[in-house]
Structure formats: structure tokens, C-alpha cells
Amino acid sequence: MTDNPLEALSARIAPLQASRPLGHVTALRAGHIEIAGLSRHVSLGDEVRCRGGTLAEVVAIHGERIDAVPCGDLSGHEVGALVEVSGDPTISPCDTWLGRIVDPFGNAIDGRGVASGPPLPIRHPPPEAGTRRGFGDRLATGYVALDTLLPIVEGQRMGIFAGSGVGKSRLLGDLAQTADADVVVVALIGERGREVAGFARDVLGEAGMGRTIIVAATSDRPANVRRRTLPAALTVAERFRAKGARVLFLCDSLTRHAEAFRDLNAASDDRGGGVPRGLVSELAGLIERAGPGGPRQTAITALFTVLVAGSDMEEPVADTARGLLDGHIILSRDIAERGQYPAIDALASVSRALPGAATKDENAVISKCRLTLELFRKNELMVSSGLYEKGGDPALDSAIQQTPAIQKALTDRTGSIEESFAILRKALG
């Protein structure tokens, strides 16, 4: 996967032109620039740069005038200032980014300099549907729950749905450390600054960061910068997939990307609490970029967190994401408050890799476990209130006896998928 420095330099020189069109600023408002003279030289989503260095994204074209949203502070800018076209937004990842934290433009934000590879456009379609490979092998995660009831396979796109403080960041960090992958790419969108450094230092640690690249935009960055984080991070992941690496992609969170999209489009498309026009296709296009590659390519296995306030799975972003992903892992506050970690609600969660990802015997174990948990949950109130007498239903008696052992088993850590199934079989008696 080693980069060729001359190739990277040539790729940077190639777009340079002896002359380029210039426009000028005609109006400035908070979070908004109006520019004349460039409308025939740009497309929606292109970037322009004001003299003074501020980059801005083109969000509307009106005849001879364009509207752009700045990626930074407009203090000191003036009407009449010259503006030049930067073109399609790009990012320039290379192998030396492993272990580093960068922003969505590829600038280091961990206090050290960073090298660059050839620039890659962050906006492009996913691989052609008819050429993509299917799911690959199961990934050993180190968790009994995810190795058995909710398997994750190479190329799968899973959602982790949870409220705040239920353990989703910790679960992401553990998976980044233990999951069977060559490279891990993490997109952190709208996090507090201390949380970005804390995720790298405390959650991943030195061992986890050794194979990880974090692309982050903190909560204080403009909406278009936060929205840029996910496609930029996916471009980094795609670069490693194209070079033959098995990539684990972690996004925290899809909800904050949607919020940035909503903020950016609020002026022209405000639907209150509903889904802004274009959001579904935006999320679908980004999620589809993960997954299996084309012929002779490896896969990007992806987990996207989705914030669900009050466990509201019908919330627009959560409901949309469930329909686009290959399964969902629900983290329950009630389970977390009982001291169980990971706080996975096994009955509410599903992996669409089943039944194909498991053997006939393993599927039988999974089915028996789910039936046992479901029988106990249906009768839990009656049992806990003392209304059930032992011996009334042999199947329920078995479920009452086995459920605590199953719940404990699902929180266990293991070294292999085989060991995970052995622990679950033992819990089932």
C-alpha cells in the first residue's frame, strides 16, 4: 500500500492552470457569501476560495450570481474581494495517515504535520450494483452477542442505535481494537473537541490507533464542514479498499451528519422535525459507498451510530437508516442500567447476514436462544410480580432458569466465534 511521492506530486500539479477565472464578492451575510462572475465556471457542491484563504462551498447558482457557504470565519472579508474556483472537493490520504487525526480537508488536528497522497474527489457514486461482490466471511468481534446472535460479516453495513450515555462510543472503540480488519477509519461528526482526543487516547489507545485514521469535525465547525466529514472519511476508506486492505469503517454519528445537512438546507427547505428534501438520497448514496467492492476488490465493513432520543426508533433519521442498512444493533438504557455491557437488546436487534452467515447447527442455537429470551420477556411481568407458579409451564420454567445465564453470556468477551457459540450453548443447558 506504499505511496509513490512522485505520483502524489504529479496528481497535485496536473489540475494547475496558467490562468483561471476570477469572481468577486458582492454581498456578505452571517454564514453566507454572494459572488458574481463565476456562475458559468462552477457546479453545485464545488468549492471556491476567497482572497484571504477562506474556502466556501457553492450551494446555489442564480444566473450571474452564486451563493456559497464559508468553511471558516468571514471576519475581515470585504465586498469586492476576489474569489477563485477551487473545483471539486478532495482529500489526499496516504499510508502515513495511520495513527493520525485529520479534519475533513486532510489537515492534521493532532499537533503534528501530515503528508499527503494524490488528491481524491470526495463526491462520487458507489461501485456499480451489478459488479459488486457479495458478503464475505464473518468477522470475529470478541463479543459473544455479536459473534452469535448478531454476526457482522465483511462488507456488511450495520447501525448501532442508542441514546446518549448508553455505551455506543465504548462499543465502537472496542470493535476498532478487536475486529478482524487491516485498517480502521473513523468518522467523528459534531463531537466536542475533548471527546475527539479522548476517543483516540482513552478509548482506542496506542494499540488501536496504530491501524486507525480518525477524520473529525467538532461541533463548533460550520454545518458544511461537519457534512463533509462522512464523505471525506469514506474516501479515505475507499482508498485503502482499492489497495487491497480489509477496512472497518466506524461513523459516529449518522444523526449528526443529518443534522448538518438539515442546517445547511434550512433556509430553503425547512420542514421542522421532518426529513429535509434530499436527505434520504444523501444517506443512501453515502451508505452505499461502503460495503463490498467491485471484482477483485476487498470490502468496507461499516458501522454507523444513530442517536435515538428516548429510544424513539420511529424518529425520521432512525427510521430512514433502518431501511438502508444491513441490520441494526439496539443498545437499551434499561439493560445498561442493570450494569450489562454491551447493553444490546438482542430481541430488538437483527443482522441481515443471517441465516447465511451461520451453519445449520449455529442457526439452531441462535433460534433456541431467541425463543427462550422471547418467552421470558412475554411473561416477565407475571413472573416478577409473583403471579406465576413454578410447574405451570415447563417451557417457561426452562426460560426462567436459562435467561440469566444467557444474558450474562451475551456480555462475555471471547477470542473466537467458536468459543462464543460454546459459551452460548452452555448457557442454554
PDB file of all heavy atoms in Angstrom, residues 382-395:
ATOM      1  N   MET A 382     -45.453 -11.096  34.782  1.00  0.00           N
ATOM      2  CA  MET A 382     -46.180 -12.069  35.594  1.00  0.00           C
ATOM      3  C   MET A 382     -45.231 -12.785  36.551  1.00  0.00           C
ATOM      4  O   MET A 382     -45.563 -13.006  37.727  1.00  0.00           O
ATOM      5  CB  MET A 382     -46.870 -13.095  34.677  1.00  0.00           C
ATOM      6  CG  MET A 382     -47.706 -14.136  35.414  1.00  0.00           C
ATOM      7  SD  MET A 382     -48.630 -15.198  34.284  1.00  0.00           S
ATOM      8  CE  MET A 382     -47.286 -16.047  33.435  1.00  0.00           C
ATOM      9  N   VAL A 383     -44.029 -13.124  36.082  1.00  0.00           N
ATOM     10  CA  VAL A 383     -43.064 -13.822  36.926  1.00  0.00           C
ATOM     11  C   VAL A 383     -42.568 -12.919  38.043  1.00  0.00           C
ATOM     12  O   VAL A 383     -42.523 -13.309  39.226  1.00  0.00           O
ATOM     13  CB  VAL A 383     -41.876 -14.331  36.075  1.00  0.00           C
ATOM     14  CG1 VAL A 383     -40.770 -14.893  36.974  1.00  0.00           C
ATOM     15  CG2 VAL A 383     -42.345 -15.384  35.082  1.00  0.00           C
ATOM     16  N   SER A 384     -42.195 -11.675  37.686  1.00  0.00           N
ATOM     17  CA  SER A 384     -41.624 -10.764  38.686  1.00  0.00           C
ATOM     18  C   SER A 384     -42.637 -10.335  39.736  1.00  0.00           C
ATOM     19  O   SER A 384     -42.273 -10.009  40.869  1.00  0.00           O
ATOM     20  CB  SER A 384     -41.041  -9.525  37.998  1.00  0.00           C
ATOM     21  OG  SER A 384     -42.055  -8.808  37.306  1.00  0.00           O
ATOM     22  N   SER A 385     -43.936 -10.349  39.383  1.00  0.00           N
ATOM     23  CA  SER A 385     -44.977  -9.948  40.343  1.00  0.00           C
ATOM     24  C   SER A 385     -45.457 -11.124  41.187  1.00  0.00           C
ATOM     25  O   SER A 385     -46.340 -10.966  42.044  1.00  0.00           O
ATOM     26  CB  SER A 385     -46.159  -9.321  39.602  1.00  0.00           C
ATOM     27  OG  SER A 385     -46.739 -10.247  38.695  1.00  0.00           O
ATOM     28  N   GLY A 386     -44.912 -12.317  40.959  1.00  0.00           N
ATOM     29  CA  GLY A 386     -45.259 -13.489  41.768  1.00  0.00           C
ATOM     30  C   GLY A 386     -46.541 -14.172  41.372  1.00  0.00           C
ATOM     31  O   GLY A 386     -47.063 -14.994  42.141  1.00  0.00           O
ATOM     32  N   LEU A 387     -47.064 -13.857  40.178  1.00  0.00           N
ATOM     33  CA  LEU A 387     -48.330 -14.447  39.738  1.00  0.00           C
ATOM     34  C   LEU A 387     -48.149 -15.801  39.067  1.00  0.00           C
ATOM     35  O   LEU A 387     -49.135 -16.493  38.814  1.00  0.00           O
ATOM     36  CB  LEU A 387     -49.050 -13.487  38.784  1.00  0.00           C
ATOM     37  CG  LEU A 387     -49.464 -12.131  39.380  1.00  0.00           C
ATOM     38  CD1 LEU A 387     -50.106 -11.262  38.316  1.00  0.00           C
ATOM     39  CD2 LEU A 387     -50.423 -12.341  40.553  1.00  0.00           C
ATOM     40  N   TYR A 388     -46.902 -16.145  38.783  1.00  0.00           N
ATOM     41  CA  TYR A 388     -46.668 -17.444  38.127  1.00  0.00           C
ATOM     42  C   TYR A 388     -46.140 -18.451  39.149  1.00  0.00           C
ATOM     43  O   TYR A 388     -45.219 -18.154  39.922  1.00  0.00           O
ATOM     44  CB  TYR A 388     -45.657 -17.292  36.984  1.00  0.00           C
ATOM     45  CG  TYR A 388     -45.280 -18.616  36.358  1.00  0.00           C
ATOM     46  CD1 TYR A 388     -46.168 -19.292  35.524  1.00  0.00           C
ATOM     47  CD2 TYR A 388     -44.047 -19.226  36.640  1.00  0.00           C
ATOM     48  CE1 TYR A 388     -45.843 -20.522  34.982  1.00  0.00           C
ATOM     49  CE2 TYR A 388     -43.715 -20.443  36.099  1.00  0.00           C
ATOM     50  CZ  TYR A 388     -44.621 -21.099  35.264  1.00  0.00           C
ATOM     51  OH  TYR A 388     -44.289 -22.325  34.726  1.00  0.00           O
ATOM     52  N   GLU A 389     -46.691 -19.638  39.120  1.00  0.00           N
ATOM     53  CA  GLU A 389     -46.223 -20.716  39.983  1.00  0.00           C
ATOM     54  C   GLU A 389     -45.392 -21.705  39.168  1.00  0.00           C
ATOM     55  O   GLU A 389     -45.818 -22.139  38.088  1.00  0.00           O
ATOM     56  CB  GLU A 389     -47.408 -21.457  40.623  1.00  0.00           C
ATOM     57  CG  GLU A 389     -48.180 -20.626  41.641  1.00  0.00           C
ATOM     58  CD  GLU A 389     -49.236 -21.446  42.355  1.00  0.00           C
ATOM     59  OE1 GLU A 389     -49.239 -22.692  42.175  1.00  0.00           O
ATOM     60  OE2 GLU A 389     -50.040 -20.851  43.086  1.00  0.00           O
ATOM     61  N   LYS A 390     -44.245 -22.038  39.692  1.00  0.00           N
ATOM     62  CA  LYS A 390     -43.351 -22.964  39.016  1.00  0.00           C
ATOM     63  C   LYS A 390     -44.071 -24.287  38.760  1.00  0.00           C
ATOM     64  O   LYS A 390     -44.782 -24.803  39.617  1.00  0.00           O
ATOM     65  CB  LYS A 390     -42.114 -23.222  39.873  1.00  0.00           C
ATOM     66  CG  LYS A 390     -41.068 -24.084  39.191  1.00  0.00           C
ATOM     67  CD  LYS A 390     -39.836 -24.237  40.071  1.00  0.00           C
ATOM     68  CE  LYS A 390     -38.801 -25.112  39.383  1.00  0.00           C
ATOM     69  NZ  LYS A 390     -37.572 -25.280  40.208  1.00  0.00           N
ATOM     70  N   GLY A 391     -43.892 -24.835  37.551  1.00  0.00           N
ATOM     71  CA  GLY A 391     -44.530 -26.082  37.154  1.00  0.00           C
ATOM     72  C   GLY A 391     -45.732 -25.881  36.263  1.00  0.00           C
ATOM     73  O   GLY A 391     -46.238 -26.831  35.667  1.00  0.00           O
ATOM     74  N   GLY A 392     -46.188 -24.637  36.151  1.00  0.00           N
ATOM     75  CA  GLY A 392     -47.358 -24.360  35.321  1.00  0.00           C
ATOM     76  C   GLY A 392     -47.081 -24.511  33.840  1.00  0.00           C
ATOM     77  O   GLY A 392     -47.990 -24.826  33.063  1.00  0.00           O
ATOM     78  N   ASP A 393     -45.840 -24.280  33.431  1.00  0.00           N
ATOM     79  CA  ASP A 393     -45.466 -24.373  32.019  1.00  0.00           C
ATOM     80  C   ASP A 393     -43.993 -24.780  31.966  1.00  0.00           C
ATOM     81  O   ASP A 393     -43.111 -23.970  32.276  1.00  0.00           O
ATOM     82  CB  ASP A 393     -45.681 -23.030  31.324  1.00  0.00           C
ATOM     83  CG  ASP A 393     -45.347 -23.080  29.841  1.00  0.00           C
ATOM     84  OD1 ASP A 393     -44.689 -24.039  29.395  1.00  0.00           O
ATOM     85  OD2 ASP A 393     -45.742 -22.143  29.119  1.00  0.00           O
ATOM     86  N   PRO A 394     -43.701 -26.033  31.592  1.00  0.00           N
ATOM     87  CA  PRO A 394     -42.310 -26.497  31.575  1.00  0.00           C
ATOM     88  C   PRO A 394     -41.397 -25.626  30.703  1.00  0.00           C
ATOM     89  O   PRO A 394     -40.229 -25.393  31.066  1.00  0.00           O
ATOM     90  CB  PRO A 394     -42.417 -27.912  31.014  1.00  0.00           C
ATOM     91  CG  PRO A 394     -43.808 -28.349  31.346  1.00  0.00           C
ATOM     92  CD  PRO A 394     -44.644 -27.114  31.252  1.00  0.00           C
ATOM     93  N   ALA A 395     -41.910 -25.154  29.556  1.00  0.00           N
ATOM     94  CA  ALA A 395     -41.081 -24.314  28.680  1.00  0.00           C
ATOM     95  C   ALA A 395     -40.736 -23.001  29.372  1.00  0.00           C
ATOM     96  O   ALA A 395     -39.595 -22.512  29.288  1.00  0.00           O
ATOM     97  CB  ALA A 395     -41.809 -24.045  27.360  1.00  0.00           C
TER      98      ALA A 395
END
